[in-house]
Amino acid sequence: EVQLQASGGGLVQAGGSVSLSCVASGFSSADRDIGWFRQAPGKERKGIACINTKSGSSYYDHSVKERFTISWDNAKNTAKLQMNKMKSEDTAVYYCAMGPAGTWGPHCYGPAYDDWGQGTQVTVSS
């Protein structure tokens, strides 16, 4: 059984930085996609940054490209999301998820992800 434990987040000022971590356990294949999704109040959950655990290739939603960086540490089985230049619209509950590797590279299509961690709140104050 895959388990994902997310941590980090909290309150951050606009323009500031914060990071999230997700420790994954119970998975057998070294070739998986793991990603971060977020859900803002009144909005649908959306994938924002995803990475393949074998190749290290990544995908970013346009809303976070150039500001957020996703990484995967094979030794620690941990995905990290470094978030810089935070904006008020980044306020959301953030979730990590893991799923099978995408055929054409990592993606952030939520329904394809099998396992989800608990959410962690990130609030950006202006």
Side-chain angles (χ1 to χ4, degrees):
E1 178 186 3
V2 176
Q3 293 190 332
L4 302 168
Q5 182 66 44
S7 62
L11 181 65
V12 60
Q13 287 190 330
S17 299
V18 67
S19 66
L20 304 178
S21 292
C22 177
V23 180
S25 61
F27 61 98
S28 56
S29 173
D31 189 11
R32 305 277 287 174
D33 284 351
I34 186 167
W36 289 96
F37 297 72
R38 69 185 182 188
Q39 186 167 20
K43 295 189 177 181
E44 293 186 355
R45 188 166 57 189
K46 183 179 183 180
I48 56 168
C50 300
I51 190 169
N52 180 264
T53 59
K54 183 177 181 180
S55 69
S57 297
S58 57
Y59 165 87
Y60 294 93
D61 183 74
H62 65 88
S63 63
V64 305
K65 211 166 186 178
E66 307 299 333
R67 299 189 298 123
F68 291 10
T69 302
I70 188 171
S71 60
W72 170 254
D73 185 329
N74 269 314
K76 298 180 179 179
N77 286 343
T78 299
K80 180 180 178 181
L81 184 67
Q82 178 65 41
M83 303 186 287
N84 301 325
K85 301 179 182 179
M86 296 291 283
K87 304 176 181 180
S88 58
E89 52 262 44
D90 294 321
T91 294
V93 177
Y94 285 70
Y95 301 87
C96 63
M98 178 175 268
T103 302
W104 296 286
H107 61 84
C108 284
Y109 180 60
Y113 281 73
D114 303 314
D115 301 291
W116 294 79
Q118 87 287 3
T120 185
Q121 177 71 44
V122 175
T123 302
V124 183
S125 64
S126 56

